[in-house]
Amino acid sequence: MSQYLNQQKGILIALAIIMLYLSPLYLLGENAHVRIHDNIDSNIGWYKLLAQNGHIFGPLHLLVQNMMNGMPRVAFGSEFNLNLWLYAFFQPFTSYTINATLMRLAAFVGMYLLLKHHFIKKDNISSTGNRDREIIIIGTSLTFALLPYWPSGGLSIAGQPLILFAFLNIRAHKASYKDWLLLFLIPLYSNLIYVCFMLAVLGLLLLYDWVKTRKFNLNFMAGIAFMSLIYCLVDYRMIYSIIHPDFVNFRTEFNLGHTSLPGVFRLALKNFTVGHGHVATVHFFLVLPLTIAALAVAIIRREKAKLLISLLLIHGALSIWYAFWYWEGMRVIKDKFSIANTFNFSRFQFLHPVFWYVSFAVALMILLQRVKHGRKIALAALCLQVGILFCFNDEILYRTVGHPSYKQFYAEGLFKEIQHFIGRKQPDYRAVSIGLHPIIAQYNGFYTLDFYNNIYPLSYKHKFREIAAAEFEKNKKIRRYYDNWGARCYIFTAELKKKYMFTKKSKTQLHHLQLNSKALAQMGGEYVFSAVKINNNRENHLTFLKAFEHKDTPWRIYLYKVG
C-alpha cells in the first residue's frame, strides 16, 4: 500500500511539473512565445484556414483559393486528424494549447508504460529497489514529456513510446484490446510520413525474430499491417495523390544532398551528439555522457550491458543512415528513382527521442545499482535534466532571443487596419510579402501568391520564380535555396537574402530591388506587403500607398500597389 501511494504521489508531482512547463500557454494566452519555424509560420495558419473556410472535408480535387490562386487540398493533410479538428471547435491559440497539453500527457503515459513493462522490469530489480525503480521510470517519463516537440506533429514523435509499448505487448503475445485500440487511435493524431519509419523498424524486428526463432509471429505482423492500413485510410488524400497525381509535384525537382564523405561523418557525429531540430532530444548535455558513463561502469565491473550497447548501436546506425542520405554519392539513386528524390528517407532519425530516453532510464538503473551513492546520482541527474529541458521551454527560449509572441507575430489589429485601408473584399485581389512570412497575411484573411508548403505544382514554382528571377541571378544562395528546394515560395531578394522576419527596429532598406512586376500582375498580384522600405519602388512599378505600424506589434508594413 505504501509503495502504491508513493507511486501515485510521484506521478502527481510529474504531472504538476508538466503543467508548470505548459503554464505560459495558459497564463499568458496569445502573449506567450511559441516556436515560429514550421509552426506558426505554416501549420497553424493552414488549420485555421481550413476550419474557417469549411474546407476540412473538401473534395479530393478542391483548390483552396487563399494561396497560390488555388492550393491543392491534399497539401493540408487529412480531415481525420485530431489536431485539425481542434481548430474547428476552438480558437486557434486555444487549439494550440490543448494540442501541446495532449502531446505531453501522451508522451508521459507512453514512456511510463514502455519502461515499466518492457525495459525496467520488476523481475530484474531486487525487492529493496522497487521504489528506486519507480522513481527512475517516473522521472525519465517526465523528462521525455518535456522535450521541445514539433507542435504540429501530434503523436508522431510524442506517441512513439505508446506505439512501441503496444507492439511489444503484441510481440510477446500479451496484448489486450487496449493495445489494438492504441494502434487504431494513434493514426488519428499523428502523421504517416513520420511514423512509417517506426513501422519499418518494427518490420525489421519481425524478420529478426523469424530468423532467430524460426517461428513467424503472425500477431506481430497483423499489428503492423493493421496500423499501416489505418494510416493509409486516414491519409487517403496523400495516397491518392501518389497513385493518381493531378499535377507534377515541385518535389520532383529537389536537388538536395551534395555532402562530401568527410562531411557525411561530421554530419553523423553531429546528429548522434546534438540531434535534429524537428526531433530535438536535448541529450547532449547530460543524457549522452551519463549513458556512456553507465556503459563504462558496466564494462569495468564485467557485467552484461547488452541492452545499453544495443541502444547505442541503434543511435549510431540512425545517425549514419541520416548522414549518408545527404552524401553526394546518393545522388545517383535519387536522380534515377523519383521516390528517392521526393521522399526524405533520412527520417529514420525520428526514432532518436524514444530510444535516447529509454537509454537514459537504463543508464540510470545501472548507476543506481552499481555505483556508490547511485540513488543520489540518479535523482540529481533527473532533476538536472528537468532543469535543462525547462531552459528549452518556448517561453524562455524564444523570449530570450527576442522573437515576437504569438499575438505579436500575427498582428491581427495591424492587418485589419491594412484591410480597411485597401477597402476591397479580400478574395478579389492577391498580395505578396517581402521580408515577412506570407502566413501572417493569410492568417488575417488575405489571399496571397506566396506561401510555404511541401505539396504544390512544379509549374507554379517556375511561374512564381519569374517575379524575382533577376534577384536570383544576383545571389547564388537564394537561387540554390529556391531552385534546389523551393518549399518556401517567397519573394527572395539579394539584399535581404534568406531572411524573412524584419521588424520595425531593423534599419534595413531595399535600394536595388529588381522585380518583374509584369509577371506579378499577370498572376493577379496587386499589392505588396513589405517589412522594409523599398527605395526604388518606382523602378519596379510599385506605387507606395502607406506605412502601417502599431506599438504592440513588431512589424512596420509598407503597402505598395502594383502598377
Side-chain angles (χ1 to χ4, degrees), residues 11-299:
I11 291 173
L12 288 174
I13 291 173
L15 293 177
I17 293 173
I18 291 172
M19 294 311 298
L20 177 63
Y21 184 92
L22 293 167
S23 62
L25 299 177
Y26 287 93
L27 299 177
L28 300 177
E30 292 190 1
N31 291 313
H33 291 73
V34 300
R35 172 181 173 141
I36 292 176
H37 178 62
D38 283 352
N39 187 31
I40 61 174
D41 70 346
S42 48
N43 297 75
I44 307 308
W46 303 343
Y47 299 150
K48 178 179 182 287
L49 287 176
L50 286 184
Q52 291 187 351
N53 293 344
H55 291 329
I56 291 180
F57 283 103
L60 274 170
H61 306 291
L62 174 72
L63 297 178
V64 180
Q65 296 299 323
N66 302 71
M67 307 177 195
M68 199 190 83
N69 283 326
M71 174 73 76
R73 170 62 182 82
V74 68
F76 301 102
S78 172
E79 62 266 46
F80 298 113
N81 189 290
L82 174 63
N83 202 359
L84 172 58
W85 273 100
L86 290 174
Y87 289 79
F89 292 104
F90 303 99
Q91 290 297 311
F93 190 80
T94 303
S95 304
Y96 185 88
T97 302
I98 295 172
N99 174 55
T101 305
L102 291 176
M103 285 173 63
R104 280 169 172 75
L105 291 178
F108 175 79
V109 172
M111 184 57 78
Y112 179 85
L113 293 173
L114 180 64
L115 292 176
K116 187 168 187 175
H117 294 280
H118 293 288
F119 288 99
I120 312 294
K121 295 182 181 180
K122 189 175 183 179
D123 298 343
N124 301 330
I125 308 297
S126 63
S127 58
T128 57
N130 283 330
R131 181 186 174 190
D132 292 335
R133 166 182 173 265
E134 198 66 33
I135 290 172
I136 299 300
I137 292 173
I138 293 173
T140 305
S141 302
L142 171 61
T143 59
F144 183 76
L146 299 183
L147 286 175
Y149 293 107
W150 174 47
S152 297
L155 299 187
S156 300
I157 307 301
Q160 286 187 6
L162 276 174
I163 297 173
L164 199 53
F165 165 73
F167 271 110
L168 291 179
N169 287 343
I170 294 170
R171 179 186 182 226
H173 303 287
K174 297 179 180 178
S176 70
Y177 76 92
K178 296 177 184 177
D179 299 297
W180 291 93
L181 184 61
L182 282 174
L183 301 191
F184 174 78
L185 292 177
I186 290 174
L188 303 177
Y189 192 22
S190 57
N191 193 306
L192 172 61
I193 295 297
Y194 305 108
V195 180
C196 67
F197 300 99
M198 171 66 83
L199 293 172
V201 168
L202 289 169
L204 292 175
L205 180 58
L206 172 67
L207 293 176
Y208 171 80
D209 288 344
W210 188 18
V211 171
K212 184 179 180 181
T213 65
R214 296 184 181 180
K215 293 181 181 180
F216 194 74
N217 193 328
L218 287 174
N219 285 345
F220 196 20
M221 184 188 72
I224 296 171
F226 174 71
M227 193 174 202
S228 300
L229 175 62
I230 299 301
Y231 268 115
C232 288
L233 293 174
V234 168
D235 285 316
Y236 75 96
R237 291 180 185 272
M238 182 187 69
I239 302 298
Y240 180 87
S241 70
I242 294 172
I243 298 173
H244 295 288
D246 293 330
F247 55 86
V248 178
N249 197 328
F250 85 101
R251 299 174 70 91
T252 59
E253 204 174 62
F254 275 5
N255 188 18
L256 305 174
H258 294 277
T259 307
S260 64
L261 203 54
V264 164
F265 291 113
R266 288 194 295 270
L267 186 58
L269 181 61
K270 180 181 178 182
N271 185 260
F272 182 82
T273 56
V274 179
H276 187 277
H278 276 105
V279 281
T281 46
V282 194
H283 69 284
F284 173 76
F285 304 100
L286 179 65
V287 175
L288 175 60
L290 187 138
T291 301
I292 294 173
L295 179 60
V297 168
I299 292 172

